Amino acid sequence: MKKVFDYLVIGGGSGGLASARRAAQYGKKVCLFESKKLGGTCVNVGCVPKKMMLGVSGLWDTMKFAHDFGIQFDSPRMDWSAMKAKRDAHIYKLNNIFKGNLEREGITVVEGHASFAENKIVECEGDHYTADHILIASGSKALMPRLEGIEQIMNSDDFFQMEALPRSVLVMGGGYIGVELAGILNSFGVKTQVAFLESHVVPGFDKEVTEVLMEVMKNEGIKLHKETKVLKISKGSKHSKLGIHTSREFCQSEKILAAIGRIPNLDGLGIENTDVKVERGIIHSDEYENTNVQGIYALGDVNTKVMLTPVAVAAGRHLSNRLFGGIEGDKLDYSNIPTVVFSHPAMGKVGLTEEEARAKFSNVKTYKTRFNNLFYAMTDHKEPTFMKLVCEGPNENVVGLHGIGMGVDEMIQGFAVAVKMGATKSDFDRTVAIHPTSSEEFVTMKQRIRRNSFYFLTTQTSDG
């Protein structure tokens, strides 16, 4: 006998949880399947533990030059095991919070691997379930390279299980995950290298911003192997290090971390038992998250539109609003989605890069500024901040906002509201600055004016 629900949700990650809870709030009978820990990639092996470790590594970095501020203490020691235990305890707490939220909403949670038996029937742990509406939100998994010696490589998920810091590491991949984990490891004294295929790290970000990041990474001791492909892995000759054969040179490192991206997780989903269309491992869904099969939906990492946690959350809620809340036509607007890379230092953006804007519009003007944050005024240690506005048309509509530097990760959210609302450069100019802050630079960039002060260097524009 089949168990009947209004809504079946496959996957207890960000998107699945959000959509399931919103449907339950509309009074629907919901069943959610999860074979691992609730919270998905973000909570367990992604955003949350990474951001926690970023905070620790940032504190550790500051301690290195704390004496410049008059702060004296004995040589500090990093206890990786203690940090990991506290981090994992917090993640466990979050897992239980999610479980409690689902219970309070009256959602049935099935712990097990769900698989389609046919279009509208899902099997899990020997039982069969059916509903008029089924959401596939099974998330993603770490992509591993195909090369000789792959068994000696750990992926980004494995990183969070490390019981001790290695002496050295080579990170394969210069995207979000690669530069974030490389920055954390390097801060803790691990000799770090990063190999990536492109000329710049983090493709999709403005090149001027990523150039600043690469500059800082080099200054902090990270060796960058750009336009480099890893060909095979072998045992090295010195101190049991691994040998890394690349398209450019031979490298050695104690550990190799593959961070070349994530791909949809369709393992064991039984998608072949349905009529759902899959192309190159991706379940495609339209602007309303519909697949080609009526009543089956896909969102989050599994459709690869924008692989960010808040996107999955928002898409899941909009979907349930439309299906169960009577909000006809409700959907997520995928334009001008802000994003941040928690690198060292953090960088963020919303809207178009300069390159994208010039390809789309004929009249583009950029405003830029670079300076050293006031935080570094009393120390010889300097870390740059770079900011950029990309404007279009005679009204100078702000179509792109970009930055890198201390605190940028907390600035982008607010400015994203302005960009989403269609703000112009004059709107920014009319906004009174908060002084002294880095964020004030976004509202004080002026045309063809160069200024100098004790905490920033220049402001300049570029016409196109």
Side-chain angles (χ1 to χ4, degrees), residues 4-21:
V4 181
F5 289 82
D6 297 313
Y7 195 32
L8 301 182
V9 178
I10 301 176
S14 301
L17 288 170
S19 192
R21 292 189 65 196

Side-chain angles (χ1 to χ4, degrees), residues 46-66:
C47 327
V48 176
K50 171 196 67 185
K51 185 68 182 292
M52 294 173 70
M53 296 174 74
L54 180 77
V56 177
S57 64
L59 177 61
W60 186 256
D61 281 338
T62 303
M63 292 171 67
K64 296 173 185 176
F65 53 89

Side-chain angles (χ1 to χ4, degrees), residues 228-242:
T228 298
K229 182 178 183 179
V230 175
L231 302 176
K232 70 174 184 177
I233 309 299
S234 63
K235 281 289 185 181
S237 58
K238 189 177 181 182
H239 304 303
S240 299
K241 286 184 178 180
L242 297 173

Side-chain angles (χ1 to χ4, degrees), residues 266-342:
L266 306 184
D267 295 349
L269 189 59
I271 203 73
E272 67 278 5
N273 298 325
T274 73
D275 296 316
V276 174
K277 187 176 182 180
V278 178
E279 292 182 347
R280 301 177 66 181
I282 300 170
I283 298 178
H284 291 281
S285 56
D286 64 16
E287 60 185 325
Y288 295 99
E289 318 304 345
N290 303 308
T291 69
N292 62 299
V293 176
Q294 185 175 358
I296 298 181
Y297 317 92
L299 56 80
D301 286 0
V302 79
N303 70 14
T304 72
K305 288 180 181 178
V306 179
M307 297 173 78
L308 296 172
T309 295
V311 171
V313 171
R317 289 171 178 165
H318 282 289
L319 176 63
S320 288
N321 288 343
R322 180 173 65 85
L323 296 180
F324 309 115
I327 307 177
E328 187 176 349
D330 196 24
K331 62 179 180 178
L332 174 61
D333 177 5
Y334 280 86
S335 66
N336 288 326
I337 292 175
T339 183
V340 163
V341 179
F342 294 103

